[in-house]
Amino acid sequence: MNKLKRNLGIFIGVILFFAGAAGVRSLPAISQPAPLVLERTGEFCVDDPHCFNRLHPAIPMAATAVPGQTIVLGARDAFDGAFGPGSTPEDVVAADLSKVHPLTGPVAIEGAQRGDVVAVTIEDITPDPYGYTVIAPGFGFLRDLFPEPYIANWDLTATTATSKEVPQVKIPFAGFAGSIGVLPGEPELETFLRREAQLAEVGGIALAPLPTGGLPADLCGVNGSQKDRCVRTIPPRENGGNMDVKQMQIGTTILFPCFVDGCGLYVGDVHFAQGDGEVSGTAIEMGATVTLKAEVRKGGADALKMPQFLGGNQLKALEPESFHATMGIPIKAAGEIPPYHKYLNGDKIAPLENLSEDLTLAARNALIEMVDYVVAEYGLTPEQAYVVCSVAADLRISQVVDVPNYLVSMILPREIFQVAGRTSERQPGSVKTTIALPQPAATRTSL
């Protein structure tokens, strides 16, 4: 009898278990908010109520998202539609730089307050079918050596970019948001304005507020109430912005300090691919649709002097299958003042052939060596080689301890080339294809 009761109890227990499980399955799923979508509207930023191109705390929020809600933002290219598939170098000269960068947003994150941290995860990037890379006169890391305009128009797919202007290469998709950030607060804005004005006063390059082309127009335009206090989007700052960090790939999470309530998240200047350094001044620029999510971490903003980011195996996917590398140290020709140092004491710098602990000059030399190598190895023009370096080659700090010569390397993925290099038909080292440093820039044969 006891055995019968025990078996009956087990049977009833099994029935109740499955009945309970069925009941759980029948419960309605917890409803998730629909995605927040801000599509591009109109041809240019000025036509789009969700688009702006200056930074100020008073820029109104375009929408509000709850933490964890999917956010879909239609992002415009960096030059706001100035170029198309048939663009020429003349179009580069005519481009209105006051419209750089059009940004989509800002999006308030519900519950976020000044002093909090917002964690933004990039979930997807869908490229437009057209992209471009330009050399703009007066802009770029080698602006003194490349004074003429140039453009490469790229045909983009979900996986690769090709260009008739650089027919030898095929660039794999490695998309990221060149500009992503949050609105500054009033204290931060005052800091930006003060320190950049100080730099300009001593001859450094700093872009003062420019009302021409400023959006939103009623705040930042020529008749705007804050036209002299809306800062440009060109440099990155503590609020993020135009950071151009290629490692912020799909799947990574970026941590931003919140300086205004709601934080004011925005996206723009999306890149199909870029080399570390973006040396010509542009990557493969494109319009795109960016999907992301944001979570609020209460407090903690004081611990972030700049945004930080984290991820999983994204960096492995960015590494080349095979590569060629050049190196640079801070040496130059006697009498030469590199363009980045002209605002400093030229009397001390000019006679020297070696600068101390100078990563900028080391990076310049590594880049020049790589441009020379690509020209000699693959038969590209200097402009084409410069573009390839900007969209695919990585400047990397190799060491910062061997004084006075800090060393910077530049890594070029060889698999992007669709034609064999010249050294593939001869023994390595049998012919020197690069030009030794130092020598004055004016005498360099490839530039």
Side-chain angles (χ1 to χ4, degrees):
M1 179 64 68
N2 290 337
K3 183 176 181 181
L4 176 63
K5 289 181 178 179
R6 185 167 61 253
N7 290 339
L8 181 61
I10 293 173
F11 176 75
I12 293 173
V14 170
I15 294 297
L16 290 175
F17 172 80
F18 282 105
V24 170
R25 286 195 299 271
S26 66
L27 290 175
I30 298 174
S31 61
Q32 296 293 328
L36 170 64
V37 180
L38 296 183
E39 296 181 345
R40 286 170 282 181
T41 59
E43 188 173 2
F44 303 109
C45 185
V46 68
D47 307 314
D48 190 338
H50 304 143
C51 188
F52 61 103
N53 59 23
R54 300 292 188 272
L55 296 175
H56 190 280
I59 294 176
M61 302 292 177
T64 299
V66 300
Q69 182 178 9
T70 298
I71 304 170
V72 182
L73 302 179
R76 299 176 183 276
D77 70 89
F79 283 71
D80 196 15
F83 309 119
S87 289
T88 66
E90 289 73 24
D91 297 317
V92 177
V93 176
D96 185 353
L97 299 184
S98 73
K99 297 180 179 180
V100 176
H101 302 88
L103 305 170
T104 301
V107 175
I109 309 303
E110 187 174 290
Q113 297 176 306
R114 179 178 173 87
D116 291 340
V117 171
V118 65
V120 180
T121 299
I122 309 299
E123 297 207 324
D124 195 18
I125 295 175
T126 303
D128 284 4
Y130 167 75
Y132 58 87
T133 305
V134 301
I135 302 173
F139 192 60
F141 197 44
L142 299 182
R143 55 188 176 272
D144 57 322
L145 303 183
F146 288 89
E148 300 299 322
Y150 185 81
I151 185 167
N153 298 297
W154 300 92
D155 295 318
L156 308 180
T157 71
T159 57
T160 58
T162 56
S163 170
K164 60 182 176 58
E165 284 81 18
V166 195
Q168 297 94 326
V169 303
K170 182 180 289 186
I171 307 297
F173 175 64
F176 68 99
S179 294
I180 181 169
V182 297
L183 292 180
E186 281 290 343
E188 291 71 36
L189 181 65
E190 288 297 327
T191 296
F192 302 164
L193 291 168
R194 181 184 68 255
R195 71 188 183 199
E196 291 170 21
Q198 290 173 344
L199 179 59
E201 286 175 3
V202 300
I205 298 177
L207 301 177
L210 177 65
T212 303
L215 297 172
D218 61 346
L219 188 72
C220 302
V222 291
N223 296 314
S225 60
Q226 297 291 312
K227 63 180 181 179
D228 296 324
R229 300 182 70 250
C230 292
V231 295
R232 299 297 303 276
T233 63
I234 302 295
R237 303 179 179 92
E238 290 89 335
N239 63 309
N242 190 36
M243 296 180 286
D244 290 323
V245 178
K246 67 178 279 185
Q247 289 79 13
M248 292 179 180
Q249 294 282 311
I250 295 170
T252 59
T253 297
I254 312 166
L255 307 178
F256 294 101
C258 289
F259 299 117
V260 299
D261 290 350
C263 229
L265 175 66
Y266 60 83
V267 165
D269 181 34
V270 184
H271 296 171
F272 184 93
Q274 178 200 295
D276 276 332
E278 197 186 14
V279 292
S280 82
T282 52
I284 298 182
E285 309 288 337
M286 65 176 182
T289 300
V290 181
T291 303
L292 46 82
K293 288 184 178 179
E295 299 285 352
V296 178
R297 301 181 181 182
K298 301 304 292 182
D302 290 343
L304 294 181
K305 304 306 180 187
M306 284 288 293
Q308 299 178 9
F309 63 103
L310 61 149
N313 64 355
Q314 290 83 8
L315 301 189
K316 293 181 180 179
L318 294 174
E319 290 302 300
E321 295 176 7
S322 62
F323 67 92
H324 183 96
T326 56
M327 293 184 286
I329 56 176
I331 56 177
K332 66 178 187 64
E336 179 186 5
I337 302 178
Y340 336 105
H341 300 77
K342 289 186 183 297
Y343 77 102
L344 299 174
N345 187 344
D347 292 339
K348 282 188 174 182
I349 292 175
L352 299 175
E353 294 183 30
N354 209 140
L355 300 188
S356 179
E357 305 173 272
D358 196 306
L359 284 171
T360 303
L361 186 56
R364 173 186 174 89
N365 290 337
L367 171 58
I368 291 173
E369 286 290 290
M370 184 58 77
V371 170
D372 285 350
Y373 168 77
V374 173
V375 168
E377 181 71 6
Y378 294 100
L380 275 65
T381 68
E383 290 77 15
Q384 290 173 326
Y386 191 30
V387 164
V388 167
C389 289
S390 193
V391 305
D394 295 328
L395 282 170
R396 298 187 179 179
I397 298 172
S398 297
Q399 59 85 6
V400 290
V401 293
D402 295 336
V403 293
N405 289 342
Y406 289 176
L407 192 141
V408 174
S409 301
M410 189 163 219
I411 311 294
L412 176 73
R414 297 170 60 194
E415 62 268 20
I416 67 171
F417 292 95
Q418 303 302 294
V419 295
R422 294 174 182 174
T423 56
S424 65
E425 300 177 357
R426 61 176 182 261
Q427 292 299 315
S430 63
V431 177
K432 183 173 177 58
T433 59
T434 55
I435 300 171
L437 286 171
Q439 59 174 300
T443 68
R444 296 184 62 80
T445 59
S446 71
L447 299 178

